[in-house]
Amino acid sequence: MKHTFLFLLIFFISNNLRAQKEEVFNLPDLQEKLQLQTVNRKVKIVKEEHVNFIQLSENKKEGLVWLPIKQFGNGTIEIQMRGKDVLQKSFIGIAFHGINDSTYDAVYCRPFNFFAKDSVRKIHAIQYISQPQYTWKKLREERNGIFEKSIMSPPNPNGWFTLKLVLEGKMVKAYINNAKGPSLKVEKLSAITKGKVGIFIGDDSGGDFKSIKIRTINNKN
């Protein structure tokens, strides 16, 4: 019985590991290799204090930077990014399950609201959207307080921080840095289960981005 239990345990662990795949995308490297697909943004590689990152220009329209990955379904996406504490000038996050440049889901942060003294602005620190049908404006007007929340122990709005998404079926959970609990937990509004992954950046916003780590789980179908 003991040997059977050990065999089953080893089989379970090894099978679980095989079902997971982790990739780390160094964004400056991908930009140098022309492997990033940009939408409404210019990309510049910057070196600052021995750290390389990409810097995205501002634009009046929403922007995207797609990675060379097309069929991500369940798993985690983790991005290192930096915005700024300037009102209405910093909307940065992750686009996922993208079909094209206008159809995708996204979770993004508004760093200028991280430490807002105004209670209404404070609960608009992190947001889920599903383009093109469920924009932030539509969700705020029709389902206020459900798809955007405040962040417990928010990071420096002018500094680097990590946004991690955990996607499992219809559930989307968003974590900031090493927080044990999610800042945002919602059910997806779109029926799309797989698609492209990249950076989302809002109107009149730029941003800095180092790398994206993706762990896919059980994407066999």
Side-chain angles (χ1 to χ4, degrees), residues 149-211:
K149 300 288 184 180
S150 61
I151 295 174
M152 297 294 293
S153 301
N156 177 357
N158 292 305
W160 292 100
F161 68 96
T162 299
L163 168 64
K164 181 174 77 172
L165 302 187
V166 178
L167 308 176
E168 186 175 0
K170 294 284 289 182
M171 189 59 60
V172 179
K173 292 183 284 187
Y175 298 80
I176 301 297
N177 288 336
N178 296 315
K180 293 182 179 179
S183 292
L184 183 70
K185 182 179 179 180
V186 298
E187 285 194 16
K188 275 172 55 69
L189 293 173
S190 73
I192 301 167
T193 59
K194 289 184 180 181
K196 300 193 290 184
V197 175
I199 298 168
F200 170 88
I201 195 157
D203 301 351
D204 295 314
S205 175
D208 302 331
F209 305 86
K210 291 181 187 177
S211 64

Side-chain angles (χ1 to χ4, degrees), residues 129-157:
I129 56 174
S130 184
Q131 303 283 50
Q133 185 174 1
Y134 297 101
T135 64
W136 69 267
K137 187 175 183 181
K138 180 180 178 66
L139 293 175
R140 187 175 294 178
E141 290 174 350
E142 298 180 0
R143 308 190 197 187
N144 188 36
I146 298 176
F147 294 96
E148 55 186 335
K149 300 288 184 180
S150 61
I151 295 174
M152 297 294 293
S153 301
N156 177 357

